[in-house]
Amino acid sequence: MAASADQVLIVLLSALVGYGGKLAQDWWTARRAQQKEDAALRSLHRQQFHLPLRDAGRQLEARLSELAGIYRGEPSQHTPGSLNGDFRELYLLSRDELLWSGDARPSILDSDGDQPRRDDQAVQGLRKRMCYELTLATSALYWTARYLAYARLVHLHLSGGGSNLDEADQEGLDRLIADVGAALQGKGGAGIFSEQQDSIAEMMVDTDGKVLSHYEFRRRLLELPGWEQFTALFLFFISEDDQLDIEALDEPEKHRARFVAKLRHEVDATIRALAQLERRLTEICGSRTR
């Protein structure tokens, strides 16, 4: 009887060991499957959100730095005067300065951008120049709008609960995106207001959720109606005249719309904020690929 009891005990122990081994194997298999699923999700988010935002930020940072260098006198095939004309031409289809004469004080805010867009010949001429002579100015508008679109998409992704980043990473990334937006608006509101940044971002995403191509963006800048949705974007870069020495001007002339006046404030602050965002996105993307 004793031998029989020992045999039963052995059988029971063997069964328990076998069952425990199966549990361990099942746990390990499930863990590996979850790790693969998490890795696939991280890769998807990296491709859909983090890398596009980083690339868009890099392009905008580079373009703003290039423009700032030109306006500060760095050697270039462009000059501040030529760029001023380029941005006015994109907005009003005319390179002419908006000069004050006596009591006549025209403002860029009072300018009519609809009427020149009704001239098919003028529109076709600008469409061609966008691809050649106006490439730098046109791409400055596009890279800004494109960045805003990706920034909004990532913000919605983070706030919507779909991100698999740690909570601290989510909050930190969203804060850096907000910092860029605040820099672009400026402390005095001379840049692009946050509400207009959101509006431009919405206009830059099609019905399929894809960010507009450069070609589609150029088309929309000439649409009637529709182009006016990008007014705040135009006004960030535009200059009413070609005056560069703002401090030497009398009041109220020094407060007219001029891109050069934004260099030490909105432009430089945005460049710095974009650099910080890029570094963090590089860390996030890098840590997920190792």
Side-chain angles (χ1 to χ4, degrees):
M1 293 295 294
S4 178
D6 290 342
Q7 292 175 352
V8 170
L9 181 59
I10 292 173
V11 171
L12 289 174
L13 290 174
S14 298
L16 288 173
V17 171
Y19 183 69
K22 185 177 186 306
L23 285 177
Q25 183 178 3
D26 291 345
W27 175 84
W28 180 253
T29 301
R31 183 172 182 272
R32 293 290 295 171
Q34 185 63 49
Q35 288 176 335
K36 289 182 179 180
E37 183 178 338
D38 291 344
L41 188 60
R42 285 195 296 269
S43 178
L44 179 64
H45 290 173
R46 187 167 61 245
Q47 297 298 324
Q48 287 185 337
F49 299 105
H50 304 145
L51 288 177
L53 177 60
R54 187 186 67 175
D55 292 343
R58 280 178 174 174
Q59 289 167 328
L60 177 56
E61 180 188 350
R63 184 46 44 91
L64 288 177
S65 297
E66 182 178 5
L67 291 176
I70 293 171
Y71 277 90
R72 284 170 170 147
E74 294 179 5
S76 172
Q77 62 179 342
H78 302 278
T79 66
S82 69
L83 283 176
N84 288 338
D86 290 349
F87 284 115
R88 287 194 294 266
E89 184 176 354
L90 289 172
Y91 185 48
L92 299 173
L93 281 71
S94 170
R95 303 181 65 83
D96 295 341
E97 297 178 77
L98 279 71
L99 299 176
W100 287 358
S101 177
D103 294 333
R105 295 185 172 185
S107 167
I108 197 70
L109 297 175
D110 301 325
S111 302
D112 182 8
D114 284 349
Q115 187 58 39
R117 284 172 171 78
R118 296 190 181 101
D119 185 337
D120 292 340
Q121 185 174 356
V123 167
Q124 183 59 23
L126 179 59
R127 184 174 288 116
K128 291 179 180 178
R129 284 175 55 77
M130 280 181 173
C131 300
Y132 296 97
E133 296 92 341
L134 303 180
T135 296
L136 182 66
T138 304
S139 62
L141 296 175
Y142 178 66
W143 296 137
T144 306
R146 183 172 180 264
Y147 166 79
L148 292 174
Y150 278 118
R152 184 172 185 272
L153 289 174
V154 173
H155 167 69
L156 293 175
H157 175 65
L158 293 170
S159 60
S163 176
N164 68 337
L165 294 176
D166 295 338
E167 184 176 351
D169 285 341
Q170 292 185 44
E171 293 177 355
L173 182 56
D174 210 23
R175 185 168 55 253
L176 289 173
I177 293 173
D179 289 344
V180 176
L184 193 58
Q185 173 177 276
K187 294 182 179 180
I192 306 176
F193 284 108
S194 59
E195 295 84 357
Q196 290 301 316
Q197 292 181 31
D198 288 340
S199 177
I200 293 168
E202 290 177 5
M203 291 292 295
M204 285 294 294
V205 179
D206 63 20
T207 55
D208 294 327
K210 295 181 179 179
V211 176
L212 299 184
S213 66
H214 199 295
Y215 167 78
E216 183 64 19
F217 175 73
R218 296 198 310 270
R219 185 182 69 80
R220 294 207 180 181
L221 290 185
L222 297 172
E223 276 186 340
L224 274 173
W227 76 271
E228 68 280 355
Q229 297 296 326
F230 296 101
T231 297
L233 182 64
F234 282 113
L235 295 182
F236 181 78
F237 290 97
I238 208 162
S239 299
E240 296 181 61
D241 56 35
D242 293 337
Q243 294 291 335
L244 298 179
D245 188 2
I246 309 301
E247 297 302 324
L249 298 174
D250 296 329
E251 300 284 353
E253 286 85 351
K254 65 171 55 178
H255 296 296
R256 302 192 74 194
R258 298 182 182 91
F259 181 73
V260 68
K262 300 183 177 77
L263 295 185
R264 290 187 299 170
H265 307 285
E266 291 80 9
V267 174
D268 284 349
T270 300
I271 290 172
R272 291 193 298 269
L274 285 168
Q276 292 177 347
L277 175 61
E278 177 191 336
R279 284 194 293 270
R280 186 65 191 117
L281 285 168
T282 297
E283 292 171 357
I284 290 174
C285 292
S287 65
R288 296 309 188 264
T289 57
R290 285 194 294 270

